[in-house]
Every structure is written in C-alpha cells, then in structure tokens.
Amino acid sequence: MNSTHHAPAANAPTAASILLVEDNAIVAFDMQQRLQKLGYQVQGIITSGEEAIAAVSRQAPSLILMDIFLDGGIDGIEAAKAILENTQIPIIYLTGHDDEETLNRAKITETFGYIIKPAESRDLHVAIEIALYKHAAAQALQKSEQQYRLLFDSMLNGFALHEVVTDDKGKPRDLLFLDVNPAFASFFDLPAKNIVGRSLRQLSEKVEPYWIDILAKTALTRESIRFDNFAGFVDKHFSVVAFSPQPRQVAAIFEDTTRRKDAEKHLQHRTFHDALTNLPNRALCLDRIQQAMERSQVRDNYLFAVVQIDIDRFKDVNDSLGHLIGDQLLQSVGHILLDTVSAVDTVARLGDDEFVVLLEELPSKKTGTATIKRIKSALNRTLDIERHPIHISACFGALFGPNECTSPENFLQGANIALRHAQEQGLDQLRFYAPEMQDKAIKKLDTETRLRNAISENEFFLALQPIFSITQDATLSGFEALLRWNPKHRGWVPPSEFIPIAEQTGLILPIGQWVLEQSCKVLHSWAEKYPENTFSVSVNLSARQFSDPNLVHNLFNCIRHNRINPSQLKLEITESDVMTNPEATIQKLRMMKELGLAILVDDFGTGYSSMSYLQRFPIDTLKIDRSFVTQLDKHANRVIVRTIINLAHSLGLSVVAEGIETEAQCLTLQEMGCEYAQGFHFSKPILLDEIDDFISRHLKK
C-alpha cells in the first residue's frame, strides 16, 4: 500500500465500527488489515449469515461488509434482509460475482453499495465513506421528517395538500386530498386517514364552488394567495394562505377565525344597535339615511322621509313607576313601530324616549303623510306593563327627502326641529319641517347663548308693577316683580321670547334665583326708606323652580341674609303647577307658610283645580287671569269672575285681578268685592331705578 491510501484515514471517523461477514479466512484477514490501516475499527469477523444476524442483535456496528455467498443455511442477501427488518445499519455487499441475477437480488434489499472482490483499498474507503455519509444523511432526513410530521400533526391551524381534479374540458371540478393534519380533519369531525384520498365534494355535498375555484386557480397559476371567507359546508369562517408546491397541487393553511368573526359581529352589532331595544342606534340610523340619500341621487322620483318621535310624558312614567317599567315601555314602543312599518324601513332609537323612523320607497308625499299618521295612531294606545295600564302618545316631527339637506345629520336636525315645534303645541302632535322653523331654531339658540351670560353681563333688570287695594279708594299695596332683559347691542327682548327658552333649558333656575334675591334686596331697602309702610313684592315661581328640591332652603337663606319681614314676600305659582302633583304641592306650600311667606295662585280660572285639594292648599290669594278681566263686558266672563271671587271669599282667601285697563273694569271688580288690582289702568311696570319716585309721588298724594 502506498502513502496515498493512508491520507484519507486521517479524516475518516475513527469511531466507525465495521462488522466483516466473510467466510474466506484469507480474504477476511486481508480485508481486516486494510480496514484497520484506513482507520476503521473492525468489530468482528463473521463467517455465516446466521452468525451475522446474532452479532448485530448483540452489538450494532456502524456498517456491515457482507459477502453475498456464505456457507450455512442463508446467504448474505438473506442475512441482510433479516438485519434490515429490525435495524437501519448500512450494508455494503462483497462478492466476486457480478451476474445479473445476483445484482437484482441485491438491489431489492436497498443496501448502500456493491464491491467486487478483490477491491482496492481506495475503492473500499470511498464506498465505506459514501455509505456512512448516505446513512447519516438518511438518518438526519428521517429525523427531520419525524420532526416535521410531529409539527404538522400538532399545528393548531388546519393544513391540507390538494391535487386539482379537472373535467374533460380541463375545468377544475374538485380537489383531491393528498395529505391533511389532524387540525384540518377536525373541521369535518373525521380522523385524517379518512380524509386523505377522498375529494372535497365527497366529504360534503354543500361545498360552495368558490372554494374549489380559488384553490384550483392557485394550483394552476402557481401564484400564492391570502383570503378570508366563510365555508358554509363546515359552518366556519377561515383566514387562508394558499400556495402551489408542485404543478396542479395546492397547499393551504386554514386559520379558524369563526370565534373572532362572531365576536366582531357581536361587537359591531353592539356598536350600531341600542342595548335596550336592539334597534339601530344613532350611528346606524345616520348610515341608513346616507344610503337613502345616495339612492335618491341615482334613482328618479325616489322619495323617503325621516320621522323623529318623542314619547309624551315619558319622564312621568319613570318618576312614578320606576325605570324598569320605563324600559319595558320603550321596548314595547320599539315593537309597535317595527310592526307598523315595512321591511325596507328603519326604526332606530336615538336615546331616552326618542325614536327615528326612516320610511323609504314612498310613492308620494301624500302616501308618506298617511303612513306617518298611521304610525302616530298606532302609538296612541294603552299598554299593560306589569299590571300597570299606561296610556301613551307621542309627538312627531318629519321631513321628506331628497331636499336641500346635504348630510344625514341635517335630516335628523330638521326632523328634530319639526318635533320641537310639535311639542310646543302640546301632546300627540305632528309637524312637518319648514325652512322658517330653522330660522326660529337658530334664533332660539342665539337667545339661549345670550341668556347664559345675561346675569354675569348685568343685562337683567327688575321691573315692578304696582298692585292697589281697591276696597275703597285705590291705595298702593305692593308690587309684582317682573323680569326684563336688555342684551348688549340688541335692545329689550320681550319676556314671551326668552322666558319659555329659560324654562326649557333649565336656565330659569339661576334666573329665578336672581329675581328672588333682587326682590329681597328691594324689600330690605324699603324697610329703611319707608318704615311706616309694609309694601309687598310678589315673585313668580316657574314650574321648574317650584319642583326644585332646594327651593325652601334658598327662600330661607334669602330672607335671613336680607333681614326682611317674610310676610312682605309673596310667591306666585300657577294653577297648573299646583295641580300637577297635589300631595307634594301641599307639603311644599306648608313649609313655605312656616317661613311666614304669603302664597298666591296665579292665572286662576285657566286650569282645573279640584275643590277638595283647593281647600287643603295653604294659600292666601287667588289671582284672576287677565283673559277674563280684559273682556268683562261679556256676560260669561263676568259670571266666571264673580264665581272666582265668591269661591275665594268662601275659602277665606283674598283676590287680585290683573290686566285692568279701564276705569269701568276697575269699578266692576270693586262692586264684585275684589280686594286688589293691577294693570295699565293704574301703572305700567316700572324699572327699579324709577320706583322710588313713583312711591314718593304716591305717598304725597
């Protein structure tokens, strides 16, 4: 052997052990010597196939050099077969024969080589190294495949490898499963082995063509794709990544996004629907209106209507029966509206007791108007909720589209403006939007904005209208405090214009408190200026003020702070306010009387007063409304006024008549026994900075 045969030995794996199976002793000895020189460890020399099998079972070598023709019951090929059934040891055949039959027998054992004896050391070394390398590579590949299969089987996402099945014309008609993992098989509630080899249509007759078309396209074009879609045949939503590893094949990873999609749908539903009634909310309502606007732009004569609805006196239901009953009432209203409109219409709840109905596909405004009136009539009914009979009605504001409105918000705004006009007319009213309503709404908003700053800007003034005792000669008895407003850069605003706005917005509370405090200051100054006279000041209390739980406390503080005689401060409340909640009114009036205040019922005769309650009210005076006084020349009005005066006297109450404009009216009231009077016949309201001059002139007389 020359040195070139020894060089590879330095790089050969010294740990490699070789089992030599050779029945020729001379050949075996020579082979052992050469193997050792090449750096291999010879584990042993075996002379028969049976011994080879036994030796391997005792200790597995790195490689076996197997002679094909051996003495004994089995030859090398049979021995190799037996060994390879239980191990993966690489085997190289040694033989002096290269006939076709021997080669064919050797090939079927899938060994790693075939060396013709006698072999050169270099050929022997190369064959062994190649066999060891191929075996190591096969082992690594097998391990990698095992790891891949483990990963494949444990994937949470479904994986499927398909082959496209086409028809006679080459058009995809099905997908054949070549391999699937357990996660994918679980979509069909089957083991993976029951899916492989079958087609998608064989697994389900309900497969949507979409799935076959899109996956087959990926296989045929070899272009990867990512998409989301619902698979009705397994009732799941998937996010899919698909690619083509081989021509006509498509591999796809299926992520089950059903729960996420359901959660998104639920969240979307909650985002765009009212939690109480399950009706569309404001956001979805605006979207539906936007769609109606878009349809009206592309379709001729497309007519729709936006109707805003507010339940009458809903707050009374909440206050008297509780919010649980109120919620059930709102749910009932939602059901009534849904039952009344058509399938193409939308019923939405904006909040509280406000609903919106979007009517679409209207043939004409006349038909739309009739539909709106039908809805209004459907809501005018008595509902039985938790054994409480509740009569409901509602005010409606509506406008038809298309019109000059450029956004869904404009439509809601227009319907709301019409609704507010309807509510101003009373209960169970309907109004259609008109452009002048918008101007009025803007003016109202401007007034409200100015009102909010009126007190801090010192724009309010107190005017006092004299009240005279007319039992004999007209004698100054007191004054009624009246509010006047003079905004900067505008001029005087009539009370009829700003008082209702103050009532609606709640600004009447701070404004009313300002009037009360100014009136108390006036009484305090009069106590010093006119100590011998006990002029009174009557202050009007609005409905909101009277229902304010802090009213009595505020009155007490105002009296104490200004150190006035409480009997000189008179409070006027309207007949309708008194009768809204009689029992609560009695309690509040008694507390006021305990403070020493006098109580007047204003506008008496314009409302309805139960005689049983009127007797129990701790009041001092009835005030006859000007509508009766200004028309005293009519017999009916004279009868009414005389009746009010007689009623008051029978209850021990005094009477004030307001709105007296003529001497004849004054004389008539005087003859009827009316004690007090006020009106332009005596004096117009006088601003506070001029009141001292008026009192001085009167005292001189």
Side-chain angles (χ1 to χ4, degrees), residues 310-327 329-330 349 351-354 390-393 423 427 503-504 543-544 547-549 580-581:
D310 190 273
I311 308 303
D312 294 331
R313 291 182 173 174
F314 175 73
K315 186 177 183 298
D316 293 342
V317 175
N318 269 344
D319 292 344
S320 58
L321 300 178
H323 288 275
L324 181 62
I325 300 296
D327 288 348
L329 174 60
L330 293 175
R349 180 183 176 223
D352 294 331
D353 58 331
E354 289 190 340
I390 303 173
H391 184 82
I392 62 169
S393 63
Q423 291 176 318
L427 307 178
E503 283 274 10
Q504 295 168 12
R544 282 218 179 190
S547 61
D548 182 7
T580 299
N581 192 340

Side-chain angles (χ1 to χ4, degrees), residues 175 209-219 221 223 225-229 240 242 250:
L175 296 170
Y210 168 84
W211 288 92
I212 294 176
D213 292 344
I214 193 168
L215 292 175
K217 181 180 179 181
T218 301
T221 63
E223 294 179 0
I225 188 173
R226 179 189 295 270
F227 63 95
D228 293 319
N229 210 326
V240 182
V250 55

Side-chain angles (χ1 to χ4, degrees), residues 527-593:
E528 297 177 352
K529 295 178 183 178
Y530 316 111
E532 297 180 359
N533 293 275
T534 56
F535 300 128
S536 65
V537 174
S538 299
V539 177
N540 291 279
L541 294 180
S542 71
R544 282 218 179 190
Q545 279 181 283
F546 190 73
S547 61
D548 182 7
N550 297 318
L551 175 61
V552 176
H553 180 70
N554 292 339
L555 288 168
F556 174 76
N557 287 338
C558 202
I559 293 169
R560 183 182 62 177
H561 179 72
N562 290 282
R563 301 189 303 277
I564 64 171
N565 181 351
S567 64
Q568 292 179 261
L569 180 63
K570 298 183 178 183
L571 303 177
E572 296 189 12
I573 55 177
T574 63
E575 183 181 8
S576 57
D577 294 339
V578 169
M579 296 306 301
T580 299
N581 192 340
E583 292 297 340
T585 297
I586 291 172
Q587 296 300 321
K588 186 164 287 188
L589 291 178
R590 285 176 179 170
M591 288 189 287
M592 293 179 182
K593 290 295 291 183

Side-chain angles (χ1 to χ4, degrees), residues 435-450:
E436 54 267 23
M437 292 181 177
Q438 179 80 14
D439 298 336
K440 184 177 179 180
I442 293 174
K443 184 178 180 181
K444 179 181 177 181
L445 180 61
D446 178 66
T447 300
E448 178 186 341
T449 303
R450 292 173 177 270

Side-chain angles (χ1 to χ4, degrees), residues 277-280 331-343 345-348 357:
T277 62
N278 205 34
L279 295 173
Q331 291 171 337
S332 297
V333 168
H335 291 313
I336 293 170
L337 293 175
L338 285 173
D339 291 341
T340 310
V341 303
S342 68
D345 301 327
T346 298
V347 177
V357 173

